[in-house]
Amino acid sequence: EIVLTQSPATLYFSPGERATLSCRASQDIRHYLAWYQHRRGQPPRLLIFDTSNRAPGIPARFSGSGSGTDFTLTISNLEPDDSADYYCQHRLRWPLTFGGGTKVEIE
Amino acid sequence: EVQVLESGGGLAQPGGSLRLSCAVSGFTLSDYAGFNDYAMTWVRQAPGKGLEWVATVGRRDESSNYADSVKGRFTISRDSSKKMIYLQMTTLRVEDTARYFCAKSSSSNNVHPDMDVWGHGTTVTVSS
C-alpha cells in the first residue's frame, strides 16, 4: 500500500497570504496525484488531478506541482472560503489511498 | 451536469447488514461518454477522521476493487439500466461507522480513478 503523508496537520493564515501544502508518497507515484478540498458539511471537491491540472471551474489561485514522491498544493491570495481540510490521493494502483489531510484555517 | 445522490444509511448492529445506494443522473445523449464509461467509487469518513477509499466498481465489465478493511464483507455493484451504484455491507463492525460518499471518476480513461463528482453522503452507524 502506498502511504501518503501530509504535513503539517494544521496551517493558519490571514486573508491574502499564500499557503503551501505538502504531500509525500512512500514510493514513486509518477504524476498520479489529486488534491481535494473538503469543507465541513459539503462533499469533497476535486481541485487538481494528475499533479498539476486544475479541475473545471477551479480558480487559478489553486496550483499543483511535483513528481515522483513529493507534491505541493499552492493556494495564492487566500480567501476566508478557503478554510477547509485538504487531502491528496494517489491513483497509481490499487489500493487507492488518501493522505491524512491538512486543515487550513484563515483567520 | 452529472450528479450523484446516496441513500440507505442508518443504524445497524455489529454483525448486521446494510445496503447503500447511489443514484447517478445528468448524463445526456450528447455526452461523449455515458454512465457505463466511468468507474464509480465509495469513500468513507469516520467521525473526526480523514477520507478513506472503500471500493471501486470499474467501467462496464471491468472488475471491482476493495480496501483490505472491507474485503470479503462489502460488495460494490452497478446497475446500468437504472444508473445505480450499490454497496452491500455485511458483517458490519463498529469501526465501519462513517459517512459514506459515492463519487464518479473524473475521466472515462482512468482505470484507477480520481473523483470529480461527489454526493453529500449517507451516514452509517454501527452500534449495539
Side-chain angles (χ1 to χ4, degrees):
Chain A
E1 172 177 314
I2 296 170
V3 176
L4 299 178
T5 301
Q6 292 188 244
S7 60
T10 307
L11 289 168
Y12 300 90
F13 297 97
S14 297
E17 290 188 320
R18 179 164 65 184
T20 302
L21 282 62
S22 169
C23 177
R24 177 162 290 176
S26 59
Q27 54 190 272
D28 186 347
I29 58 170
R30 292 189 268 172
H31 62 281
Y32 294 121
L33 189 93
W35 290 94
Y36 299 87
Q37 177 191 68
H38 192 198
R39 297 189 184 109
R40 183 183 298 275
Q42 296 292 318
R45 177 190 183 196
L46 177 66
L47 298 174
I48 302 287
F49 63 94
D50 290 351
T51 296
S52 59
N53 298 283
R54 270 188 301 278
I58 301 302
R61 302 188 296 108
F62 293 87
S63 62
S65 62
S67 67
T69 60
D70 289 299
F71 299 86
T72 299
L73 174 70
T74 301
I75 313 171
S76 302
N77 193 19
L78 282 162
E79 300 177 357
D81 267 356
D82 296 332
S83 293
D85 295 324
Y86 291 83
Y87 295 91
C88 57
Q89 175 235 322
H90 87 82
R91 65 173 194 88
L92 177 67
R93 61 171 181 265
W94 310 112
L96 308 181
T97 55
F98 289 87
T102 292
K103 178 182 291 291
V104 171
E105 299 209 9
I106 315 297
E107 300 175 320
Chain B
E1 177 190 359
V2 176
Q3 295 181 321
V4 300
L5 180 64
E6 305 94 335
S7 61
L11 177 65
Q13 291 194 332
S17 299
L18 276 177
R19 188 177 83 154
L20 306 184
S21 299
C22 170
V24 184
S25 61
F27 286 105
T28 66
L29 291 176
S30 61
D31 287 334
Y32 174 76
F35 172 77
N36 288 330
D37 295 300
Y38 292 91
M40 296 293 297
T41 295
W42 288 95
V43 173
R44 69 185 180 185
Q45 184 175 36
K49 303 293 186 183
L51 300 176
E52 179 189 14
W53 172 72
V54 174
T56 296
V57 60
R59 304 166 296 188
R60 299 184 183 272
D61 295 328
E62 291 179 358
S63 60
S64 302
N65 288 272
Y66 300 89
D68 284 347
S69 57
V70 307
K71 198 172 294 183
R73 300 188 299 122
F74 290 12
T75 303
I76 189 172
S77 62
R78 64 194 301 156
D79 184 331
S80 298
S81 64
K82 297 180 180 177
K83 293 189 175 57
M84 294 288 293
I85 304 297
Y86 302 102
L87 187 68
Q88 179 67 50
M89 305 187 294
T90 64
T91 320
L92 282 163
R93 303 169 180 167
V94 171
E95 55 265 34
D96 295 320
T97 295
R99 189 159 191 85
Y100 285 73
F101 297 96
C102 176
K104 166 191 158 290
S105 175
S106 69
S107 170
S108 58
N109 296 320
N110 292 350
V111 172
H112 307 95
D114 46 40
M115 287 73 72
D116 66 341
V117 178
W118 297 66
H120 279 80
T122 186
T123 298
V124 171
T125 302
V126 183
S127 174
S128 55

